[in-house]
């Protein structure tokens, strides 16, 4: 549809101020009306300011990073399966999570970056927004980045990334935005089932520090700790609420 915001002159303050004379003085030349930007120009400026408050992390119509799918078969006994592809401007993450004998419960599948290309600095941002659509119901998706030994668990065998749980993933048939506040992320979580043990809001020592947000190092989306089929399409990832 045609944009109805046009550059028509403003009807405000249109009263003529020409030919006004002061006593015993020459007529002043006509005064130029003050510059008043059109509504369209003003809204465009607001839009530019709004866009400056978001930082693109990945756009699957033109991905910066290399991505692949992984599953729990790397751990002996794992039988979960994953299928991953980027096509039609979307990342398709599909698979099936099955019981894992070593983990004493359902295993996992995930999609992840595989390169060392730096991520943008999002340390001044408030959250991550994933534009996503789920084709089947699955209740335990996680977004994860970075890696560091958890401060509350010295027995952890591996560095743990910071992760936040994606709840109520849209199932509308087309990708919609789902936002996870960064203060919901934690690197203190259960390696077996993926559950977050202590959130950043509960224990500030498990929050992602500015150093981790200045370069995420890698990015992952997990389906973990719940048995069943997984099928999502992801259009983009961005940081929001950035100063």
């Amino acid at each position: 549809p045609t944009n109805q915001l046009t550059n028509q002159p403003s009807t405000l303050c249109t009263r003529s101020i020409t030919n006004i004379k002061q006593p015993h003085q020459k007529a002043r030349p006509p005064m130029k009306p003050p510059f008043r930007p059109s509504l369209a120009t003003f809204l465009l400026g607001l839009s530019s300011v709004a866009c400056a408050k978001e930082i693109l992390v990945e756009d699957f119509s033109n991905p910066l990073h290399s991505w692949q799918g992984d599953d729990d078969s790397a751990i002996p006994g794992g039988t979960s399966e994953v299928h991953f592809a980027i096509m039609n401007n979307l990342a398709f993450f599909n698979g099936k999570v099955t019981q894992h004998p070593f983990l004493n419960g359902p295993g996992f599948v995930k999609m992840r970056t595989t390169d060392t290309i730096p991520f943008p600095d999002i340390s001044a941002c408030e959250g991550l927004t994933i534009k996503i659509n789920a084709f089947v119901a699955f209740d335990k998706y996680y977004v994860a980045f970075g890696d560091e030994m958890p401060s509350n668990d010295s027995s952890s065998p591996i560095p743990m990334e910071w992760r936040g749980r994606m709840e109520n993933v849209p199932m509308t048939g087309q990708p919609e935005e789902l936002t996870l506040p960064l203060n919901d992320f934690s690197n203190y979580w259960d390696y077996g089932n993926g559950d977050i043990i202590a959130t950043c809001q509960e224990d500030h020592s498990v929050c992602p520090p500015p150093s981790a947000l200045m370069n995420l190092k890698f990015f992952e989306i997990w389906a973990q700790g719940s048995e069943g089929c997984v099928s999502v399409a992801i259009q983009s990832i961005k940081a929001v609420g950035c100063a």
Side-chain angles (χ1 to χ4, degrees), residues 178-224:
L178 177 65
T179 299
L180 289 75
L182 286 172
N183 61 10
D184 281 351
F185 281 71
S186 169
N187 75 333
Y188 185 35
W189 48 275
D190 188 297
Y191 180 77
N193 60 27
D195 290 344
I196 295 173
I197 299 171
T199 67
C200 170
Q201 297 182 50
E202 296 167 340
D203 181 353
H204 290 175
S205 71
V206 303
C207 299
S211 59
L213 299 173
M214 290 175 69
N215 182 8
L216 303 178
K217 294 184 180 179
F218 65 84
F219 202 97
E220 299 179 334
I221 294 179
W222 293 64
Q224 181 179 14

Side-chain angles (χ1 to χ4, degrees), residues 58 60 63-72 74 82-86 91-94 108-116 119 142-146 161 163 216-223 232 234 237:
E58 186 64 287
F60 288 105
L64 174 65
H65 296 274
S66 299
W67 294 78
Q68 73 175 36
D70 280 345
D71 56 41
D72 59 22
V82 66
H83 304 279
F84 177 80
I86 297 176
F92 290 91
F93 171 39
N94 306 309
F108 64 85
V109 294
K110 65 180 178 180
M111 54 177 279
R112 66 179 180 89
T113 55
T114 61
D115 56 60
T116 58
F119 285 85
Y142 299 93
V143 173
F145 59 81
E161 73 263 18
R163 60 165 49 193
L216 303 178
K217 294 184 180 179
F218 65 84
F219 202 97
E220 299 179 334
I221 294 179
W222 293 64
V232 298
I234 301 169
I237 303 165

Side-chain angles (χ1 to χ4, degrees), residues 106-171:
F108 64 85
V109 294
K110 65 180 178 180
M111 54 177 279
R112 66 179 180 89
T113 55
T114 61
D115 56 60
T116 58
I117 298 173
F119 285 85
D121 182 350
I122 64 167
S123 58
C125 303
E126 297 178 353
L128 287 169
T129 292
I130 318 295
K131 197 165 188 179
I132 186 172
N133 178 73
F135 300 101
V136 297
F138 187 87
D139 64 349
K140 293 187 69 177
Y141 287 108
Y142 299 93
V143 173
F145 59 81
D147 61 342
E148 189 169 299
M149 299 304 294
S151 58
N152 283 359
D153 186 7
S154 59
S155 65
S156 175
I158 59 171
M160 308 288 266
E161 73 263 18
W162 286 273
R163 60 165 49 193
R165 185 167 176 177
M166 284 197 295
E167 299 185 273
N168 301 316
V169 176
M171 296 183 66

Side-chain angles (χ1 to χ4, degrees), residues 5 11 15 54 81 111:
L5 297 177
T11 57
R15 211 173 142 187
E54 298 179 349
E81 298 179 6
M111 54 177 279

